[in-house]
Amino acid sequence: MKIVHFTSAHPRHDIRIFVKECVSLARAGHEVILVVADGQGAEIRQGVHIVDVGPRPDASARRGRLGRMTATTRKVCEAVLALRPDVAHFHDPELIPAGLRLRRAGIRVVYDVHEDVPRQILAKHWIPAAVRPLVSRGFETFENHAVRRFDAIVTSTPHIRDRFTPLNARVVDVCNYPILEELVRDTPWDARRNEVCYLGGISRIRGIGPIISALPHTATRLNLAGPWSEPGLRAQMERLPGWARVNDLGVLDRAGVADVLSRSKVGLVTLFPTPNYVDALPIKLFEYMAAGMPVIASDFPLWREIVTDAGCGLLVNPEDAPAIAAAINRLLGDESMARQMGEAGRQAVLSRYSWSAEAQKLVALYAQLERSALRAGA
């Protein structure tokens, strides 16, 4: 099949979109094209053809965000229409109107839902707090209307899958579990540094404030890697005493991420209890586990089930800096326990939380779509 994945907001080498989904489908024998908007030009990598419609506006300002949601989405949609794929697979909620347009043009459409967007809207700092509930309800109504018209829905968690199952006959969860070959290194514990790490987007609701505040009460350093998603936040964090214990590594490629995972002893995933995060499956949690390090995670019911069942870490109130510091000190002060938890997390990922099984779900979905298309053609 000729499959076009398209995005107006994500980078071309996004881990879920390109590294996992596009490459997995290309390896399964499909012709895979990825349409992006970044101004970096065309590219062929790992069997995937990348088509670029030009740079999107700077989304840090409201005007830039509006431009991306209008002009950029139109350009992306026109590029997909020109390619005439068998299936168009999109990854941004702002592309729902484009998905509906493509469906009316006779192209099969898959909507990939990375987040529970109506719940995510409730925590968007750039939307006035007073109108967030109204915007959330309005978007949910629109999204529910649209998903009934698409050929399949792919979700990043079982929780989101369950929300859409009553609305569409073909819904599958394809979770963001790690690619083991990419991250798993047999790094001896004694070769690791006395450091903890946080990987991924950096924002207030992802818990950066309490993490930095906890550091002066520990004997460790923090390896911090990822993009800052709020203007002025980094400057605020630099004024905290704990910043002196931060290795600010910026945005790393996958080799850089693997290096941080192999040298750190503890992984932090202390997101705040927003409606969108409580039922999420953050990739960083499973990457830490795959790398053989114990985790310190927010004490949410779903995460408690994962961490407790695997015996791979400690749970904390993510807004409580002293509790985070105490957890760091406990793990770094008891190396036997930390090693045992790290190995338990690695084994849990090897047996239950790896990308290979998720890739099989995705490939199976496309086999269903192909059979459906053949029956329709007959």
Side-chain angles (χ1 to χ4, degrees), residues 85-251:
D86 298 306
V87 180
H89 186 140
F90 72 95
H91 294 265
D92 308 295
E94 64 197 43
L95 288 169
I96 290 176
L100 293 170
R101 181 183 173 190
L102 292 165
R103 193 67 194 87
R104 290 193 296 270
I107 297 170
R108 293 175 184 269
V109 174
V110 175
Y111 176 26
D112 202 311
V113 190
H114 298 198
E115 307 279 356
D116 187 351
V117 179
R119 260 50 66 187
Q120 187 185 50
I121 287 170
L122 296 174
K124 290 286 189 183
H125 69 277
W126 50 272
I127 300 176
V131 301
R132 287 176 198 165
L134 180 62
V135 174
S136 174
R137 288 194 297 272
F139 179 82
E140 185 161 15
T141 299
F142 170 62
E143 187 178 42
N144 289 349
H145 166 81
V147 298
R148 292 183 171 94
R149 287 151 178 79
F150 296 140
D151 295 273
I153 309 298
V154 172
T155 72
S156 62
T157 71
H159 171 75
I160 303 175
R161 176 203 62 203
D162 292 344
R163 180 186 151 210
F164 289 115
T165 297
L167 306 175
N168 192 295
R170 190 177 282 129
V171 182
V172 60
D173 57 298
V174 177
C175 301
N176 262 341
Y177 296 151
I179 300 173
L180 300 183
E181 299 81 2
E182 182 186 31
L183 296 175
V184 174
R185 296 182 182 177
D186 293 325
T187 306
W189 184 265
D190 294 336
R192 296 175 182 263
R193 303 177 188 177
N194 196 53
E195 296 173 345
V196 300
C197 69
Y198 172 93
L199 304 175
I202 305 167
S203 66
R204 289 178 178 84
I205 63 172
R206 291 186 176 99
I208 187 60
I211 290 174
I212 302 297
S213 296
L215 293 175
H217 308 287
T218 72
T220 189
R221 294 189 64 84
L222 169 68
N223 292 316
L224 181 65
W228 294 83
S229 60
E230 296 176 40
L233 179 59
R234 187 182 189 278
Q236 292 179 30
M237 294 299 104
E238 288 176 341
R239 291 194 287 270
L240 296 178
W243 188 258
R245 292 183 172 272
V246 174
N247 301 323
D248 187 14
L249 305 173
V251 178

Side-chain angles (χ1 to χ4, degrees), residues 1 108 367-378:
M1 297 179 74
R108 293 175 184 269
Q368 292 176 20
L369 291 171
E370 190 166 25
R371 289 193 297 270
S372 176
L374 290 172
R375 287 196 296 270

Side-chain angles (χ1 to χ4, degrees), residues 3-30:
I3 302 166
V4 173
H5 282 249
F6 61 108
T7 174
S8 55
H10 289 82
R12 64 175 54 205
H13 300 141
D14 179 86
I15 302 305
R16 177 176 177 84
I17 299 172
F18 173 77
V19 175
K20 293 179 178 174
E21 295 191 358
C22 288
V23 171
S24 294
L25 289 169
R27 287 175 177 168
H30 297 288

Side-chain angles (χ1 to χ4, degrees), residues 299-362:
D299 191 5
F300 303 155
L302 176 60
W303 298 13
R304 186 185 311 132
E305 181 179 338
I306 294 168
V307 173
T308 302
D309 181 61
C312 64
L314 302 176
L315 299 161
V316 297
N317 176 349
E319 300 176 87
D320 186 342
I324 295 171
I328 292 172
N329 291 334
R330 183 180 172 193
L331 288 172
L332 295 181
D334 188 338
E335 295 226 339
S336 176
M337 179 181 69
R339 288 180 194 234
Q340 185 176 19
M341 287 182 168
E343 183 56 29
R346 187 202 303 267
Q347 293 303 318
V349 169
L350 290 171
S351 62
R352 298 195 296 277
Y353 303 122
S354 71
W355 171 250
S356 59
E358 304 307 299
Q360 291 173 20
K361 292 184 194 176
L362 184 66

